[in-house]
Amino acid sequence: MKKLIFFVMTVALMFAVSVPAFAAPAPVSGDPAWDVKYKKKEGVDQTCKLVSGPLGAIIDGVVLKENPRTDASGDKIPSNAHSADYPGLYFYWDDKQKDDGVLLVKEEVFSLFEDGKFILTAKDSNNYWGYLIAPWTAAKAIDGVFVYYIPKTWQYHDAKGKLQNVSLKNINMVFIDGKYKSAWFEIEKKWFDEDGNPIEGIDADDLNALLTFNNGYKLGENEVKITDYTTAYNGKKITVTEGAIPGYKPRVGSQNITVKITDETRQVVTFNNDKQWAYIKIVKEWDLIPGSEIPATGALFYVYNASGALVNVDEPIPAGTYQVKSGDGPFKVVELAISGFTADKESVEGITVEAGKTATVTFNNVEDR
């Protein structure tokens, strides 16, 4: 039965390092450079050491008293194939799967994981054996590549103290899984009034309290969980969408960004919202004597805000639709008297209108009989 090798990830690196977009070298059997660069050199111990802690206790480097694991899972990387999908990593069979396995790791890869290390788990029959993969457990090859040799054969003492031989035959793939660092980004919000001036202070705070975003995102810093190697290395594409706020129009309602674990500076997504104008629509109706015509001057009006100031220009305005600032209400519309006509009302007071909406007032004039 085929024996598999698995990766299981653990714990937290202290510093984020920018990860260049290149993969570890892909050596091939017979390539002279492979012998020179990465194969075992006499007197140099580059064999992976079995790890301690929850994965099993170490005795004399590679001798265990207990079975450290029961399973493993994650992203699969076949030997000598498809490694381009996992930049920074390469798994190689030394001498066509007849000798030790070889794992190459670019130095930058360790910055993706919490604690800057992960675990390689080798399967033999129903047993799984853990190997610590960290910068300090391997000899460093040239070009920032760390080399790990997975021993094909080794020995350990079982729980009864009996010496057991392990032969990891036909190891032909690895699996990556575990706890990656999170990526982070920030959301900021800017508000503007009808004239394009910034809305700040308590007014902005009140508006911010109404904000909603997709995926539970919020103003300020946001965490993006990373669950697979390719995303950890290349970054995760996300969409940030703002929920609608009545009376305010977003300049851009949705934005796409790619967040990376290795971002040295957090990306900031900025949403700008402009307060919409409110509108008062003045409608004029006429009750004419048959054969009569609407006066040439028509009907004229003044519109006042809550402080009594004219909203429109000093000249009276005809019936129509006019923009106002919702916060300046309630409003008052006054009609100028027209000779020969009796108005049903001289004015309409207490007009309130929300931003982005329209309030309609109607005046009716009856021609004198």
Side-chain angles (χ1 to χ4, degrees), residues 324-352:
V324 295
K325 295 180 179 180
S326 60
D328 289 347
F331 300 93
K332 177 181 180 180
V333 179
V334 177
E335 181 183 14
L336 300 184
I338 302 174
S339 177
F341 288 84
T342 300
D344 63 339
K345 50 185 168 290
E346 294 182 354
S347 64
V348 176
E349 300 184 28
I351 304 168
T352 59

Side-chain angles (χ1 to χ4, degrees), residues 351-364:
I351 304 168
T352 59
V353 56
E354 297 177 9
K357 295 187 177 181
T358 300
T360 300
V361 293
T362 303
F363 291 83
N364 182 273

Side-chain angles (χ1 to χ4, degrees), residues 183-301:
W184 294 82
F185 74 98
E186 296 183 8
I187 298 177
E188 72 172 5
K189 184 67 182 178
K190 295 182 179 180
W191 303 91
F192 299 90
D193 65 17
E194 296 92 336
D195 295 318
N197 300 312
I199 300 174
E200 299 174 334
I202 190 170
D203 292 332
D205 293 340
D206 290 342
L207 290 169
N208 288 338
L210 303 175
L211 285 174
T212 59
F213 298 92
N214 64 316
N215 293 332
Y217 298 141
K218 62 185 185 304
L219 280 183
E221 63 179 21
N222 291 269
E223 181 180 14
V224 179
K225 297 288 188 180
I226 305 297
T227 58
D228 66 275
Y229 181 85
T230 302
T231 301
Y233 195 98
N234 294 322
K236 185 171 184 177
K237 295 180 180 179
I238 63 170
T239 298
V240 185
T241 302
E242 178 187 11
I245 301 295
Y248 289 83
K249 184 177 181 180
R251 297 179 187 177
V252 177
S254 186
Q255 299 186 51
N256 299 314
I257 62 171
T258 299
V259 292
K260 293 184 177 181
I261 292 173
T262 53
D263 284 340
E264 294 183 358
T265 303
R266 290 182 183 175
Q267 295 187 64
V268 178
V269 182
T270 302
F271 288 90
N272 298 311
N273 274 30
D274 297 302
K275 188 172 184 180
Q276 295 177 277
W277 289 91
Y279 296 90
I280 293 179
K281 182 179 181 180
I282 304 172
V283 177
K284 182 63 182 178
E285 296 177 347
W286 300 90
D287 185 355
L288 301 174
I289 297 173
S292 295
E293 296 181 353
I294 296 174
T297 57
L300 297 174
F301 304 87

Side-chain angles (χ1 to χ4, degrees), residues 124-142:
D124 173 64
S125 297
N126 294 320
N127 296 321
Y128 296 80
W129 310 100
Y131 299 85
L132 179 63
I133 306 298
W136 57 89
T137 64
K140 185 175 181 180
I142 64 171

